[in-house]
Amino acid sequence: MSLTTEQRGAKYTTDYAVYFKDAEGNYVSPFHDIPTWADEANGIVNMVCEVPRWSNAKMEINTGAPLNPITQDVKKGKPRFVHNCFPHHGYIWNYGAVPQTWENPDAKDDHTGENGDNDPIDICDLSDSIAEVGEIKQVKILGVLAMIDDGETDWKLLGIDVNDPRAESLNDVGDIEKVMRGYLSATVEWFRIYKIPAGKPENRFAFEGQAKDKNFALSIIREARAQWQKLNSGEVVHPKIAPSGTMVGAAPISQEDAKATVAAAPEAAPDAPIDPSVNKWHYITL
């Protein structure tokens, strides 16, 4: 699936939005219209990159807006940035979501005992590349962490871009420490502490913080895809979710309405300045 992006508004503002188009120039939803699997037999998913490695702006697929553009998360009316928790600068991997998956907030997860977080499954691409916002990557699944965030199940898939030189040497979660020494423990630490500077407690994990293997991770993806299928068909309804894309769903968005939605958004503009406080180091003691 060949896709391009269209920016509206200015980056680092509440107007910023990244919309997606297919090869024919039709608007599509990165949540609903991009397939989960790039190669299911080999455990390779499509990843929608929301946050490039080393950056701080918390970008995410806006599941509640028509066409589900990538926008910056807002907290207290201002665009949200994650803190630099020493020695980690911003996000330490390319971070994004797997399309056509959903963690149902009204369903208890059998593995964690907590309900879902109302988002597509998150994924960390451990490759050396630095992605662009909205880039679609093909990522080999290696494992998964079961983070508990404010009492919600928030799965964190671990994988590597199939084009990374290390991809052939990484086939399961146990290979991460062998090939990329320290990266897995740094990932667990990052998720545990990244909200502490904002005054929140450290995040918890199921399975005592141990990453589960590839086969387990693939089963979690299939479970979340089944939840999305119920949402997209209209069998399950959630008031905070825009349930349809332009290609699939119980009531697909017409291209006429899609074009009107994008046209109503502010024109693309240069990046807004980032407050210098975003660059501050935070030293965390647990």
Side-chain angles (χ1 to χ4, degrees), residues 1-41:
M1 194 173 187
S2 178
L3 298 174
T4 57
T5 58
E6 179 179 336
Q7 177 183 327
R8 306 292 286 190
K11 201 172 187 179
Y12 313 128
T13 72
T14 56
D15 288 335
Y16 179 70
V18 174
Y19 292 91
F20 289 73
K21 289 181 175 180
D22 66 14
E24 285 72 47
N26 294 315
Y27 288 103
V28 297
S29 160
F31 181 20
H32 297 300
D33 293 324
I34 300 174
T36 300
W37 300 104
D39 181 352
E40 185 173 2

Side-chain angles (χ1 to χ4, degrees), residues 197-215:
K200 293 201 171 185
E202 64 180 275
N203 283 317
R204 299 183 295 109
F205 294 87
F207 312 116
E208 299 181 342
Q210 297 299 306
K212 304 294 283 184
D213 67 12
K214 177 177 182 172
N215 284 335

Side-chain angles (χ1 to χ4, degrees), residues 62-107:
N62 190 332
T63 58
L67 299 177
N68 312 117
I70 293 177
T71 59
Q72 189 164 354
D73 189 26
V74 176
K75 184 176 181 180
K76 296 181 179 178
K78 295 182 179 181
R80 181 180 166 196
F81 296 84
V82 300
H83 296 90
N84 297 311
C85 297
F86 185 85
H88 311 300
H89 183 274
Y91 287 75
I92 62 173
W93 356 252
N94 297 309
Y95 187 69
V98 177
Q100 295 186 348
T101 64
W102 183 53
E103 298 180 67
N104 189 344
D106 298 320

